[in-house]
Amino acid sequence: MQNDADPKRPESDHSEVANLPALNDTVEMDALDIPHIGAQEPIEIPSVTTVDCVNGIAAWLTMKSPSRETENEDSLGVISASSDQGILVVADGLGGHRGGKNASQALVKSLKKGLPVRKEPVEDRHILISKGLKVPLQSQTDQSEVDGLRSVILNRIEAANKRLIKSGAGSATTLALVELQGSKARTYHAGDSQILVMSQRGRIKYETVSHSPVGYALEAGVLSEQEAILHENRHLVSNVIGSRDMSIELGPWISLAARDTILLASDGLFDNLFAVEVVECIRKGSLEDGVHQLAEIAVKRMCSRIPNLPSKPDDLTILAYRRKPRST
C-alpha cells in the first residue's frame, strides 16, 4: 500500500546528506540552518486551535496538501472522558485509495462514539505523612477503568476496520492514538502517522516506529534518518486500518512530568522535517506557536526543493499535548 499525495518524489543523492545534530541533542533552532523558503504564491496556514484536556492543553491544526485541489484526507480528535482520562488521535486516509477522507473520519467517529464519559472524576485518595505531606493512593476502581478504556479503544478500532473492509470501497487509514490516564500515557498506532513523547529539555521519552519497509529499516539501523526521509519508497505503508491483516501496536505506559509534550502527526510533517527539528520546535515555549511553526516549516519544504532536504507535498495534521504543572 502507498500513502502518498504526490507520486512524483524528488530525486535525492543519498551519498550526501544534511549534517544535522544527533537525535537526542538539545540544540537551538538557529543551529539547524533551516532555510526560509517562500512558495510562488503564499500558502495560508490555518489558525491553531487550543483546548484544555486531561491535566494539560492540546493544540492542533490540519490542512490539505498545497500541491492539489482535492480535499484534506486527514482527521483528528481530542476526546475527553473525564478530567483525567481521554484520547488524542490522528488518522491519515490513504492517498490513491477511494474514500481516504471517509476512512479517517469513520475511524475518529467510531472512537468518539464508543469512548465512555465519566461525569464525576474519581475522588483523590491519599495518606498524610510527616509535616502533612500528602501521598496519593490508587483507588480500587482505577485499574479497572484503565483496562476498560483500553478495551474500548481496541474494540472501536476493530469495529471501524471491519466496516471499512465490508464497504468494499478499498479505503483505508493510518492511526496514531495516545491514551491519557492521569499523569501517564500510552500509544496505539498503525501505519506511518507518528507519535513523539518528549521532555521540556528535548529528551525523547518514546517514539513510534512507522509500519513501513523504510520505517523498519531505519529502526534496524540499515538506513540513517537522513537516508530514510529521502528514500524513494518512503510512501509505502505495510499496516493500515481497513486491511484484513491490520494490527495495532500498543506502546508501554509512559510517565509524564510537568511540561512534557506529546506530538502526533500525519506524514505530511515527518516526511518534511527531521525528528530533531520537530523536537526543537515544539518542546518549549507556547504550544500554539510551536504547532504553527512546525506547519510553516513543513509547508515551505513542500513548496521548494533544496538539495539534501526533504520535500514531499501532502496533507498535514499536527496535534500536540502538554501536561500542565501540578497546581500548589
Side-chain angles (χ1 to χ4, degrees), residues 1 90-94 103-104 106-107 156-165 170-176 188-191 237-249:
M1 295 184 180
V90 167
D92 178 2
L94 266 66
S104 65
L107 177 58
R156 298 315 300 175
I157 294 170
E158 179 64 28
N161 188 65
K162 288 180 178 179
R163 282 196 295 271
L164 289 173
I165 294 172
S171 57
T173 180
T174 68
L175 169 70
Y188 302 66
H189 84 282
V237 184
S238 58
N239 180 31
V240 292
I241 313 299
S243 166
R244 297 187 185 279
D245 297 324
M246 179 273 294
S247 63
I248 300 299
E249 184 171 341

PDB file of all heavy atoms in Angstrom, residues 1 90-94 103-104 106-107 156-165 170-176 188-191 237-249:
ATOM      1  N   MET A   1       0.838  -1.198   0.000  1.00  0.00           N
ATOM      2  CA  MET A   1       0.000   0.000   0.000  1.00  0.00           C
ATOM      3  C   MET A   1       0.871   1.244   0.000  1.00  0.00           C
ATOM      4  O   MET A   1       1.995   1.217   0.487  1.00  0.00           O
ATOM      5  CB  MET A   1      -0.899   0.017   1.241  1.00  0.00           C
ATOM      6  CG  MET A   1      -1.919  -1.097   1.272  1.00  0.00           C
ATOM      7  SD  MET A   1      -3.015  -0.952   2.698  1.00  0.00           S
ATOM      8  CE  MET A   1      -4.050  -2.369   2.431  1.00  0.00           C
ATOM      9  N   VAL A  90      -4.883  10.980  15.548  1.00  0.00           N
ATOM     10  CA  VAL A  90      -4.674  11.499  14.196  1.00  0.00           C
ATOM     11  C   VAL A  90      -4.801  10.328  13.230  1.00  0.00           C
ATOM     12  O   VAL A  90      -4.209   9.256  13.459  1.00  0.00           O
ATOM     13  CB  VAL A  90      -3.291  12.162  14.037  1.00  0.00           C
ATOM     14  CG1 VAL A  90      -2.964  12.404  12.570  1.00  0.00           C
ATOM     15  CG2 VAL A  90      -3.233  13.478  14.807  1.00  0.00           C
ATOM     16  N   ALA A  91      -5.581  10.506  12.167  1.00  0.00           N
ATOM     17  CA  ALA A  91      -5.777   9.463  11.162  1.00  0.00           C
ATOM     18  C   ALA A  91      -5.564  10.064   9.779  1.00  0.00           C
ATOM     19  O   ALA A  91      -6.083  11.144   9.488  1.00  0.00           O
ATOM     20  CB  ALA A  91      -7.185   8.875  11.267  1.00  0.00           C
ATOM     21  N   ASP A  92      -4.808   9.393   8.951  1.00  0.00           N
ATOM     22  CA  ASP A  92      -4.466   9.867   7.613  1.00  0.00           C
ATOM     23  C   ASP A  92      -5.038   8.895   6.595  1.00  0.00           C
ATOM     24  O   ASP A  92      -4.550   7.774   6.439  1.00  0.00           O
ATOM     25  CB  ASP A  92      -2.943   9.961   7.497  1.00  0.00           C
ATOM     26  CG  ASP A  92      -2.468  10.400   6.115  1.00  0.00           C
ATOM     27  OD1 ASP A  92      -3.314  10.673   5.243  1.00  0.00           O
ATOM     28  OD2 ASP A  92      -1.243  10.469   5.904  1.00  0.00           O
ATOM     29  N   GLY A  93      -6.114   9.325   5.897  1.00  0.00           N
ATOM     30  CA  GLY A  93      -6.693   8.495   4.848  1.00  0.00           C
ATOM     31  C   GLY A  93      -5.700   8.289   3.728  1.00  0.00           C
ATOM     32  O   GLY A  93      -4.992   9.214   3.340  1.00  0.00           O
ATOM     33  N   LEU A  94      -5.625   7.071   3.221  1.00  0.00           N
ATOM     34  CA  LEU A  94      -4.587   6.755   2.247  1.00  0.00           C
ATOM     35  C   LEU A  94      -4.854   7.429   0.905  1.00  0.00           C
ATOM     36  O   LEU A  94      -5.916   7.214   0.298  1.00  0.00           O
ATOM     37  CB  LEU A  94      -4.464   5.240   2.056  1.00  0.00           C
ATOM     38  CG  LEU A  94      -3.398   4.584   2.934  1.00  0.00           C
ATOM     39  CD1 LEU A  94      -3.778   4.683   4.397  1.00  0.00           C
ATOM     40  CD2 LEU A  94      -3.168   3.142   2.535  1.00  0.00           C
ATOM     41  N   ALA A 103     -12.573   7.224   5.299  1.00  0.00           N
ATOM     42  CA  ALA A 103     -11.965   6.216   6.174  1.00  0.00           C
ATOM     43  C   ALA A 103     -11.424   6.849   7.450  1.00  0.00           C
ATOM     44  O   ALA A 103     -11.661   6.345   8.554  1.00  0.00           O
ATOM     45  CB  ALA A 103     -10.850   5.485   5.428  1.00  0.00           C
ATOM     46  N   SER A 104     -10.693   7.949   7.313  1.00  0.00           N
ATOM     47  CA  SER A 104     -10.123   8.587   8.502  1.00  0.00           C
ATOM     48  C   SER A 104     -11.222   9.169   9.388  1.00  0.00           C
ATOM     49  O   SER A 104     -11.161   9.067  10.619  1.00  0.00           O
ATOM     50  CB  SER A 104      -9.122   9.681   8.100  1.00  0.00           C
ATOM     51  OG  SER A 104      -9.741  10.753   7.425  1.00  0.00           O
ATOM     52  N   ALA A 106     -14.335   8.062   9.596  1.00  0.00           N
ATOM     53  CA  ALA A 106     -15.074   6.949  10.194  1.00  0.00           C
ATOM     54  C   ALA A 106     -14.346   6.407  11.416  1.00  0.00           C
ATOM     55  O   ALA A 106     -14.970   6.054  12.429  1.00  0.00           O
ATOM     56  CB  ALA A 106     -15.275   5.842   9.159  1.00  0.00           C
ATOM     57  N   LEU A 107     -13.021   6.344  11.346  1.00  0.00           N
ATOM     58  CA  LEU A 107     -12.237   5.849  12.477  1.00  0.00           C
ATOM     59  C   LEU A 107     -12.359   6.786  13.676  1.00  0.00           C
ATOM     60  O   LEU A 107     -12.597   6.348  14.806  1.00  0.00           O
ATOM     61  CB  LEU A 107     -10.777   5.701  12.066  1.00  0.00           C
ATOM     62  CG  LEU A 107      -9.811   5.263  13.163  1.00  0.00           C
ATOM     63  CD1 LEU A 107     -10.226   3.931  13.780  1.00  0.00           C
ATOM     64  CD2 LEU A 107      -8.387   5.173  12.618  1.00  0.00           C
ATOM     65  N   ARG A 156     -13.255  -0.330  19.365  1.00  0.00           N
ATOM     66  CA  ARG A 156     -13.737   0.668  18.400  1.00  0.00           C
ATOM     67  C   ARG A 156     -12.863   0.681  17.144  1.00  0.00           C
ATOM     68  O   ARG A 156     -13.353   0.896  16.039  1.00  0.00           O
ATOM     69  CB  ARG A 156     -13.771   2.051  19.037  1.00  0.00           C
ATOM     70  CG  ARG A 156     -14.706   2.199  20.228  1.00  0.00           C
ATOM     71  CD  ARG A 156     -16.077   1.576  19.982  1.00  0.00           C
ATOM     72  NE  ARG A 156     -16.769   2.187  18.851  1.00  0.00           N
ATOM     73  CZ  ARG A 156     -17.918   1.774  18.362  1.00  0.00           C
ATOM     74  NH1 ARG A 156     -18.504   0.709  18.883  1.00  0.00           N
ATOM     75  NH2 ARG A 156     -18.492   2.393  17.349  1.00  0.00           N
ATOM     76  N   ILE A 157     -11.567   0.458  17.319  1.00  0.00           N
ATOM     77  CA  ILE A 157     -10.682   0.370  16.150  1.00  0.00           C
ATOM     78  C   ILE A 157     -11.054  -0.848  15.311  1.00  0.00           C
ATOM     79  O   ILE A 157     -11.152  -0.779  14.076  1.00  0.00           O
ATOM     80  CB  ILE A 157      -9.212   0.284  16.586  1.00  0.00           C
ATOM     81  CG1 ILE A 157      -8.773   1.587  17.264  1.00  0.00           C
ATOM     82  CG2 ILE A 157      -8.312   0.003  15.375  1.00  0.00           C
ATOM     83  CD1 ILE A 157      -7.409   1.497  17.927  1.00  0.00           C
ATOM     84  N   GLU A 158     -11.273  -1.977  15.984  1.00  0.00           N
ATOM     85  CA  GLU A 158     -11.639  -3.206  15.269  1.00  0.00           C
ATOM     86  C   GLU A 158     -12.974  -3.042  14.556  1.00  0.00           C
ATOM     87  O   GLU A 158     -13.143  -3.507  13.411  1.00  0.00           O
ATOM     88  CB  GLU A 158     -11.704  -4.372  16.257  1.00  0.00           C
ATOM     89  CG  GLU A 158     -12.090  -5.705  15.627  1.00  0.00           C
ATOM     90  CD  GLU A 158     -11.079  -6.193  14.616  1.00  0.00           C
ATOM     91  OE1 GLU A 158      -9.893  -5.857  14.738  1.00  0.00           O
ATOM     92  OE2 GLU A 158     -11.496  -6.908  13.678  1.00  0.00           O
ATOM     93  N   ALA A 159     -13.929  -2.365  15.199  1.00  0.00           N
ATOM     94  CA  ALA A 159     -15.229  -2.140  14.562  1.00  0.00           C
ATOM     95  C   ALA A 159     -15.080  -1.291  13.310  1.00  0.00           C
ATOM     96  O   ALA A 159     -15.695  -1.568  12.264  1.00  0.00           O
ATOM     97  CB  ALA A 159     -16.183  -1.460  15.548  1.00  0.00           C
ATOM     98  N   ALA A 160     -14.248  -0.235  13.379  1.00  0.00           N
ATOM     99  CA  ALA A 160     -14.022   0.618  12.208  1.00  0.00           C
ATOM    100  C   ALA A 160     -13.330  -0.165  11.104  1.00  0.00           C
ATOM    101  O   ALA A 160     -13.653  -0.017   9.914  1.00  0.00           O
ATOM    102  CB  ALA A 160     -13.183   1.835  12.603  1.00  0.00           C
ATOM    103  N   ASN A 161     -12.377  -1.017  11.472  1.00  0.00           N
ATOM    104  CA  ASN A 161     -11.672  -1.829  10.485  1.00  0.00           C
ATOM    105  C   ASN A 161     -12.629  -2.757   9.746  1.00  0.00           C
ATOM    106  O   ASN A 161     -12.585  -2.875   8.509  1.00  0.00           O
ATOM    107  CB  ASN A 161     -10.584  -2.632  11.189  1.00  0.00           C
ATOM    108  CG  ASN A 161      -9.671  -3.364  10.226  1.00  0.00           C
ATOM    109  OD1 ASN A 161      -8.954  -2.744   9.454  1.00  0.00           O
ATOM    110  ND2 ASN A 161      -9.688  -4.695  10.275  1.00  0.00           N
ATOM    111  N   LYS A 162     -13.528  -3.388  10.493  1.00  0.00           N
ATOM    112  CA  LYS A 162     -14.491  -4.302   9.868  1.00  0.00           C
ATOM    113  C   LYS A 162     -15.430  -3.561   8.923  1.00  0.00           C
ATOM    114  O   LYS A 162     -15.763  -4.059   7.844  1.00  0.00           O
ATOM    115  CB  LYS A 162     -15.287  -5.026  10.949  1.00  0.00           C
ATOM    116  CG  LYS A 162     -14.489  -6.064  11.711  1.00  0.00           C
ATOM    117  CD  LYS A 162     -15.335  -6.756  12.769  1.00  0.00           C
ATOM    118  CE  LYS A 162     -14.551  -7.829  13.503  1.00  0.00           C
ATOM    119  NZ  LYS A 162     -15.359  -8.494  14.558  1.00  0.00           N
ATOM    120  N   ARG A 163     -15.864  -2.358   9.336  1.00  0.00           N
ATOM    121  CA  ARG A 163     -16.776  -1.591   8.475  1.00  0.00           C
ATOM    122  C   ARG A 163     -16.091  -1.165   7.181  1.00  0.00           C
ATOM    123  O   ARG A 163     -16.707  -1.182   6.106  1.00  0.00           O
ATOM    124  CB  ARG A 163     -17.312  -0.377   9.224  1.00  0.00           C
ATOM    125  CG  ARG A 163     -18.423  -0.702  10.216  1.00  0.00           C
ATOM    126  CD  ARG A 163     -19.179   0.542  10.632  1.00  0.00           C
ATOM    127  NE  ARG A 163     -18.341   1.465  11.372  1.00  0.00           N
ATOM    128  CZ  ARG A 163     -18.186   1.439  12.684  1.00  0.00           C
ATOM    129  NH1 ARG A 163     -18.797   0.514  13.410  1.00  0.00           N
ATOM    130  NH2 ARG A 163     -17.416   2.324  13.283  1.00  0.00           N
ATOM    131  N   LEU A 164     -14.830  -0.775   7.266  1.00  0.00           N
ATOM    132  CA  LEU A 164     -14.102  -0.368   6.066  1.00  0.00           C
ATOM    133  C   LEU A 164     -13.922  -1.550   5.115  1.00  0.00           C
ATOM    134  O   LEU A 164     -14.071  -1.405   3.895  1.00  0.00           O
ATOM    135  CB  LEU A 164     -12.748   0.231   6.443  1.00  0.00           C
ATOM    136  CG  LEU A 164     -12.784   1.607   7.109  1.00  0.00           C
ATOM    137  CD1 LEU A 164     -11.396   2.012   7.591  1.00  0.00           C
ATOM    138  CD2 LEU A 164     -13.333   2.660   6.149  1.00  0.00           C
ATOM    139  N   ILE A 165     -13.610  -2.701   5.659  1.00  0.00           N
ATOM    140  CA  ILE A 165     -13.460  -3.891   4.811  1.00  0.00           C
ATOM    141  C   ILE A 165     -14.796  -4.271   4.176  1.00  0.00           C
ATOM    142  O   ILE A 165     -14.883  -4.556   2.977  1.00  0.00           O
ATOM    143  CB  ILE A 165     -12.907  -5.068   5.638  1.00  0.00           C
ATOM    144  CG1 ILE A 165     -11.483  -4.769   6.108  1.00  0.00           C
ATOM    145  CG2 ILE A 165     -12.935  -6.357   4.824  1.00  0.00           C
ATOM    146  CD1 ILE A 165     -10.937  -5.783   7.091  1.00  0.00           C
ATOM    147  N   GLY A 170     -12.322  -0.141  -0.742  1.00  0.00           N
ATOM    148  CA  GLY A 170     -10.869  -0.134  -0.835  1.00  0.00           C
ATOM    149  C   GLY A 170     -10.216   0.992  -0.073  1.00  0.00           C
ATOM    150  O   GLY A 170      -9.027   1.252  -0.249  1.00  0.00           O
ATOM    151  N   SER A 171     -10.960   1.689   0.775  1.00  0.00           N
ATOM    152  CA  SER A 171     -10.405   2.813   1.520  1.00  0.00           C
ATOM    153  C   SER A 171      -9.753   2.331   2.809  1.00  0.00           C
ATOM    154  O   SER A 171     -10.112   1.279   3.353  1.00  0.00           O
ATOM    155  CB  SER A 171     -11.496   3.834   1.831  1.00  0.00           C
ATOM    156  OG  SER A 171     -12.554   3.243   2.548  1.00  0.00           O
ATOM    157  N   ALA A 172      -8.803   3.105   3.291  1.00  0.00           N
ATOM    158  CA  ALA A 172      -8.069   2.735   4.491  1.00  0.00           C
ATOM    159  C   ALA A 172      -7.497   3.989   5.127  1.00  0.00           C
ATOM    160  O   ALA A 172      -7.548   5.083   4.556  1.00  0.00           O
ATOM    161  CB  ALA A 172      -6.957   1.742   4.156  1.00  0.00           C
ATOM    162  N   THR A 173      -6.948   3.829   6.318  1.00  0.00           N
ATOM    163  CA  THR A 173      -6.390   4.976   7.033  1.00  0.00           C
ATOM    164  C   THR A 173      -5.313   4.511   8.002  1.00  0.00           C
ATOM    165  O   THR A 173      -5.331   3.382   8.483  1.00  0.00           O
ATOM    166  CB  THR A 173      -7.494   5.734   7.808  1.00  0.00           C
ATOM    167  OG1 THR A 173      -6.914   6.846   8.507  1.00  0.00           O
ATOM    168  CG2 THR A 173      -8.174   4.832   8.824  1.00  0.00           C
ATOM    169  N   THR A 174      -4.375   5.400   8.265  1.00  0.00           N
ATOM    170  CA  THR A 174      -3.410   5.150   9.328  1.00  0.00           C
ATOM    171  C   THR A 174      -4.038   5.542  10.662  1.00  0.00           C
ATOM    172  O   THR A 174      -5.121   6.134  10.703  1.00  0.00           O
ATOM    173  CB  THR A 174      -2.133   5.970   9.128  1.00  0.00           C
ATOM    174  OG1 THR A 174      -2.428   7.370   9.304  1.00  0.00           O
ATOM    175  CG2 THR A 174      -1.544   5.745   7.741  1.00  0.00           C
ATOM    176  N   LEU A 175      -3.357   5.234  11.753  1.00  0.00           N
ATOM    177  CA  LEU A 175      -3.826   5.613  13.085  1.00  0.00           C
ATOM    178  C   LEU A 175      -2.642   5.960  13.972  1.00  0.00           C
ATOM    179  O   LEU A 175      -1.675   5.203  14.050  1.00  0.00           O
ATOM    180  CB  LEU A 175      -4.609   4.471  13.731  1.00  0.00           C
ATOM    181  CG  LEU A 175      -4.923   4.644  15.225  1.00  0.00           C
ATOM    182  CD1 LEU A 175      -5.950   5.749  15.439  1.00  0.00           C
ATOM    183  CD2 LEU A 175      -5.395   3.341  15.852  1.00  0.00           C
ATOM    184  N   ALA A 176      -2.718   7.112  14.627  1.00  0.00           N
ATOM    185  CA  ALA A 176      -1.799   7.466  15.711  1.00  0.00           C
ATOM    186  C   ALA A 176      -2.675   7.916  16.868  1.00  0.00           C
ATOM    187  O   ALA A 176      -3.403   8.903  16.753  1.00  0.00           O
ATOM    188  CB  ALA A 176      -0.851   8.581  15.286  1.00  0.00           C
ATOM    189  N   TYR A 188      -1.074   3.880  20.690  1.00  0.00           N
ATOM    190  CA  TYR A 188      -1.635   2.847  19.821  1.00  0.00           C
ATOM    191  C   TYR A 188      -1.374   3.349  18.399  1.00  0.00           C
ATOM    192  O   TYR A 188      -1.711   4.494  18.083  1.00  0.00           O
ATOM    193  CB  TYR A 188      -3.136   2.711  19.995  1.00  0.00           C
ATOM    194  CG  TYR A 188      -3.651   2.395  21.386  1.00  0.00           C
ATOM    195  CD1 TYR A 188      -3.518   3.305  22.429  1.00  0.00           C
ATOM    196  CD2 TYR A 188      -4.334   1.192  21.640  1.00  0.00           C
ATOM    197  CE1 TYR A 188      -4.023   3.025  23.699  1.00  0.00           C
ATOM    198  CE2 TYR A 188      -4.847   0.913  22.902  1.00  0.00           C
ATOM    199  CZ  TYR A 188      -4.681   1.835  23.924  1.00  0.00           C
ATOM    200  OH  TYR A 188      -5.192   1.565  25.176  1.00  0.00           O
ATOM    201  N   HIS A 189      -0.822   2.511  17.529  1.00  0.00           N
ATOM    202  CA  HIS A 189      -0.647   3.028  16.174  1.00  0.00           C
ATOM    203  C   HIS A 189      -0.626   1.931  15.122  1.00  0.00           C
ATOM    204  O   HIS A 189      -0.340   0.766  15.405  1.00  0.00           O
ATOM    205  CB  HIS A 189       0.596   3.913  16.075  1.00  0.00           C
ATOM    206  CG  HIS A 189       1.893   3.178  15.864  1.00  0.00           C
ATOM    207  ND1 HIS A 189       2.564   2.523  16.866  1.00  0.00           N
ATOM    208  CD2 HIS A 189       2.648   3.026  14.748  1.00  0.00           C
ATOM    209  CE1 HIS A 189       3.677   2.007  16.397  1.00  0.00           C
ATOM    210  NE2 HIS A 189       3.748   2.285  15.115  1.00  0.00           N
ATOM    211  N   ALA A 190      -0.979   2.368  13.908  1.00  0.00           N
ATOM    212  CA  ALA A 190      -0.919   1.515  12.721  1.00  0.00           C
ATOM    213  C   ALA A 190      -0.604   2.427  11.548  1.00  0.00           C
ATOM    214  O   ALA A 190      -1.277   3.435  11.344  1.00  0.00           O
ATOM    215  CB  ALA A 190      -2.245   0.791  12.491  1.00  0.00           C
ATOM    216  N   GLY A 191       0.459   2.103  10.804  1.00  0.00           N
ATOM    217  CA  GLY A 191       0.814   2.929   9.655  1.00  0.00           C
ATOM    218  C   GLY A 191       1.975   3.858   9.940  1.00  0.00           C
ATOM    219  O   GLY A 191       2.795   3.613  10.826  1.00  0.00           O
ATOM    220  N   VAL A 237       3.328   1.811   2.832  1.00  0.00           N
ATOM    221  CA  VAL A 237       2.864   1.516   4.193  1.00  0.00           C
ATOM    222  C   VAL A 237       2.435   0.052   4.253  1.00  0.00           C
ATOM    223  O   VAL A 237       1.765  -0.442   3.348  1.00  0.00           O
ATOM    224  CB  VAL A 237       1.683   2.428   4.585  1.00  0.00           C
ATOM    225  CG1 VAL A 237       1.268   2.180   6.022  1.00  0.00           C
ATOM    226  CG2 VAL A 237       2.042   3.892   4.394  1.00  0.00           C
ATOM    227  N   SER A 238       2.801  -0.633   5.344  1.00  0.00           N
ATOM    228  CA  SER A 238       2.542  -2.073   5.420  1.00  0.00           C
ATOM    229  C   SER A 238       1.431  -2.461   6.398  1.00  0.00           C
ATOM    230  O   SER A 238       1.103  -3.638   6.508  1.00  0.00           O
ATOM    231  CB  SER A 238       3.834  -2.805   5.826  1.00  0.00           C
ATOM    232  OG  SER A 238       4.323  -2.317   7.063  1.00  0.00           O
ATOM    233  N   ASN A 239       0.838  -1.488   7.088  1.00  0.00           N
ATOM    234  CA  ASN A 239      -0.187  -1.820   8.093  1.00  0.00           C
ATOM    235  C   ASN A 239      -1.138  -0.639   8.218  1.00  0.00           C
ATOM    236  O   ASN A 239      -0.702   0.480   8.545  1.00  0.00           O
ATOM    237  CB  ASN A 239       0.486  -2.113   9.436  1.00  0.00           C
ATOM    238  CG  ASN A 239      -0.510  -2.454  10.523  1.00  0.00           C
ATOM    239  OD1 ASN A 239      -1.572  -3.029  10.266  1.00  0.00           O
ATOM    240  ND2 ASN A 239      -0.182  -2.088  11.758  1.00  0.00           N
ATOM    241  N   VAL A 240      -2.429  -0.856   7.953  1.00  0.00           N
ATOM    242  CA  VAL A 240      -3.412   0.230   7.990  1.00  0.00           C
ATOM    243  C   VAL A 240      -4.748  -0.276   8.534  1.00  0.00           C
ATOM    244  O   VAL A 240      -5.021  -1.481   8.538  1.00  0.00           O
ATOM    245  CB  VAL A 240      -3.645   0.839   6.584  1.00  0.00           C
ATOM    246  CG1 VAL A 240      -2.419   1.588   6.096  1.00  0.00           C
ATOM    247  CG2 VAL A 240      -4.063  -0.237   5.581  1.00  0.00           C
ATOM    248  N   ILE A 241      -5.572   0.639   8.976  1.00  0.00           N
ATOM    249  CA  ILE A 241      -6.951   0.329   9.344  1.00  0.00           C
ATOM    250  C   ILE A 241      -7.752   0.247   8.045  1.00  0.00           C
ATOM    251  O   ILE A 241      -7.762   1.188   7.259  1.00  0.00           O
ATOM    252  CB  ILE A 241      -7.552   1.412  10.264  1.00  0.00           C
ATOM    253  CG1 ILE A 241      -6.592   1.756  11.397  1.00  0.00           C
ATOM    254  CG2 ILE A 241      -8.909   0.969  10.786  1.00  0.00           C
ATOM    255  CD1 ILE A 241      -6.259   0.620  12.315  1.00  0.00           C
ATOM    256  N   GLY A 242      -8.415  -0.883   7.823  1.00  0.00           N
ATOM    257  CA  GLY A 242      -9.095  -1.125   6.563  1.00  0.00           C
ATOM    258  C   GLY A 242      -8.500  -2.311   5.829  1.00  0.00           C
ATOM    259  O   GLY A 242      -8.789  -2.564   4.671  1.00  0.00           O
ATOM    260  N   SER A 243      -7.652  -3.058   6.549  1.00  0.00           N
ATOM    261  CA  SER A 243      -6.988  -4.235   5.985  1.00  0.00           C
ATOM    262  C   SER A 243      -7.315  -5.457   6.828  1.00  0.00           C
ATOM    263  O   SER A 243      -7.397  -5.380   8.053  1.00  0.00           O
ATOM    264  CB  SER A 243      -5.472  -4.019   5.964  1.00  0.00           C
ATOM    265  OG  SER A 243      -4.786  -5.231   5.722  1.00  0.00           O
ATOM    266  N   ARG A 244      -7.465  -6.596   6.179  1.00  0.00           N
ATOM    267  CA  ARG A 244      -7.728  -7.839   6.911  1.00  0.00           C
ATOM    268  C   ARG A 244      -6.541  -8.243   7.786  1.00  0.00           C
ATOM    269  O   ARG A 244      -6.686  -9.007   8.735  1.00  0.00           O
ATOM    270  CB  ARG A 244      -8.080  -8.963   5.931  1.00  0.00           C
ATOM    271  CG  ARG A 244      -9.363  -8.699   5.144  1.00  0.00           C
ATOM    272  CD  ARG A 244      -9.794  -9.886   4.314  1.00  0.00           C
ATOM    273  NE  ARG A 244     -10.953  -9.557   3.490  1.00  0.00           N
ATOM    274  CZ  ARG A 244     -12.209  -9.541   3.928  1.00  0.00           C
ATOM    275  NH1 ARG A 244     -12.447  -9.895   5.180  1.00  0.00           N
ATOM    276  NH2 ARG A 244     -13.198  -9.220   3.112  1.00  0.00           N
ATOM    277  N   ASP A 245      -5.354  -7.748   7.451  1.00  0.00           N
ATOM    278  CA  ASP A 245      -4.151  -8.063   8.219  1.00  0.00           C
ATOM    279  C   ASP A 245      -3.801  -6.963   9.215  1.00  0.00           C
ATOM    280  O   ASP A 245      -2.694  -6.936   9.757  1.00  0.00           O
ATOM    281  CB  ASP A 245      -2.964  -8.280   7.276  1.00  0.00           C
ATOM    282  CG  ASP A 245      -3.173  -9.464   6.340  1.00  0.00           C
ATOM    283  OD1 ASP A 245      -3.771 -10.459   6.797  1.00  0.00           O
ATOM    284  OD2 ASP A 245      -2.734  -9.389   5.176  1.00  0.00           O
ATOM    285  N   MET A 246      -4.745  -6.049   9.480  1.00  0.00           N
ATOM    286  CA  MET A 246      -4.487  -4.929  10.378  1.00  0.00           C
ATOM    287  C   MET A 246      -4.058  -5.404  11.760  1.00  0.00           C
ATOM    288  O   MET A 246      -4.599  -6.378  12.292  1.00  0.00           O
ATOM    289  CB  MET A 246      -5.751  -4.065  10.498  1.00  0.00           C
ATOM    290  CG  MET A 246      -5.607  -2.866  11.439  1.00  0.00           C
ATOM    291  SD  MET A 246      -5.965  -3.218  13.184  1.00  0.00           S
ATOM    292  CE  MET A 246      -7.700  -3.609  13.154  1.00  0.00           C
ATOM    293  N   SER A 247      -3.076  -4.730  12.333  1.00  0.00           N
ATOM    294  CA  SER A 247      -2.690  -4.987  13.723  1.00  0.00           C
ATOM    295  C   SER A 247      -2.376  -3.653  14.388  1.00  0.00           C
ATOM    296  O   SER A 247      -1.935  -2.707  13.728  1.00  0.00           O
ATOM    297  CB  SER A 247      -1.468  -5.913  13.800  1.00  0.00           C
ATOM    298  OG  SER A 247      -0.336  -5.301  13.201  1.00  0.00           O
ATOM    299  N   ILE A 248      -2.643  -3.565  15.681  1.00  0.00           N
ATOM    300  CA  ILE A 248      -2.389  -2.346  16.445  1.00  0.00           C
ATOM    301  C   ILE A 248      -1.180  -2.563  17.334  1.00  0.00           C
ATOM    302  O   ILE A 248      -1.133  -3.515  18.109  1.00  0.00           O
ATOM    303  CB  ILE A 248      -3.598  -1.961  17.310  1.00  0.00           C
ATOM    304  CG1 ILE A 248      -4.824  -1.729  16.430  1.00  0.00           C
ATOM    305  CG2 ILE A 248      -3.293  -0.716  18.139  1.00  0.00           C
ATOM    306  CD1 ILE A 248      -4.674  -0.617  15.422  1.00  0.00           C
ATOM    307  N   GLU A 249      -0.200  -1.697  17.217  1.00  0.00           N
ATOM    308  CA  GLU A 249       0.962  -1.750  18.099  1.00  0.00           C
ATOM    309  C   GLU A 249       0.670  -0.904  19.331  1.00  0.00           C
ATOM    310  O   GLU A 249       0.445   0.302  19.233  1.00  0.00           O
ATOM    311  CB  GLU A 249       2.214  -1.244  17.392  1.00  0.00           C
ATOM    312  CG  GLU A 249       3.457  -1.366  18.252  1.00  0.00           C
ATOM    313  CD  GLU A 249       4.744  -1.075  17.503  1.00  0.00           C
ATOM    314  OE1 GLU A 249       4.736  -1.120  16.253  1.00  0.00           O
ATOM    315  OE2 GLU A 249       5.763  -0.807  18.167  1.00  0.00           O
TER     316      GLU A 249
END
